[in-house]
Amino acid sequence: QLQVVESGGGLVQPGGSLRLSCAASGFTSVDYYAVGWFRQAPGKEREGVSCISSSGDRKNYADSVKGRFTISRDNAKNTVYLQMSSLKPEDTAVYYCAASSKRYITTVQALCFMTGLYESWGQGTQVTVSS
């Protein structure tokens, strides 16, 4: 079964940039999996940030990060990336990547942000935006 592991989190100043990586393993073909990024701030529920289709042709972003975050994938490297720029203190959270064999979820943003549709979750990586 597919396994995913996040990396790249850390401490960054407001306005700075950070790139998160989600490495996948334990699967036959990564081409069959859509991938989403979620985050959870202290005292808040986990929320969707961005998602990408299995081929990379469809992408969705939460309004709060649109224009600042960019999701991409390199299936040859079995990796999905989340490039974050113009970071704000409110972006501080634990970021999780998740994979889903339900490739249709990226058709509608509301579907790709449903946590219950994802089968594999990483352990999370901390992103702290502070001066």
Side-chain angles (χ1 to χ4, degrees), residues 19-129:
R19 188 179 78 163
L20 305 183
S21 298
C22 177
S25 63
F27 56 91
T28 301
S29 178
V30 72
D31 296 343
Y32 296 134
Y33 291 85
V35 174
W37 283 97
F38 297 79
R39 67 185 182 186
Q40 187 166 19
K44 295 186 177 181
E45 296 293 324
R46 189 170 301 185
E47 64 177 355
V49 177
S50 183
C51 65
I52 188 169
S53 62
S54 58
S55 64
D57 61 330
R58 293 193 300 276
K59 305 172 183 178
N60 289 289
Y61 299 93
D63 289 341
S64 60
V65 306
K66 193 171 298 182
R68 300 188 298 119
F69 290 12
T70 301
I71 191 170
S72 62
R73 68 188 299 162
D74 186 340
N75 286 353
K77 295 182 178 180
N78 298 328
T79 303
V80 172
Y81 305 96
L82 184 66
Q83 178 65 49
M84 306 182 293
S85 62
S86 302
L87 284 164
K88 306 174 181 179
E90 49 263 47
D91 293 319
T92 296
V94 176
Y95 283 70
Y96 301 87
C97 68
S100 175
S101 62
K102 306 175 180 64
R103 290 175 288 171
Y104 62 85
I105 63 175
T106 56
T107 303
V108 180
Q109 182 168 305
L111 293 178
C112 82
F113 287 167
M114 287 184 175
T115 59
L117 297 179
Y118 289 83
E119 302 154 271
S120 303
W121 290 82
Q123 296 297 307
T125 184
Q126 177 71 48
V127 172
T128 302
V129 184

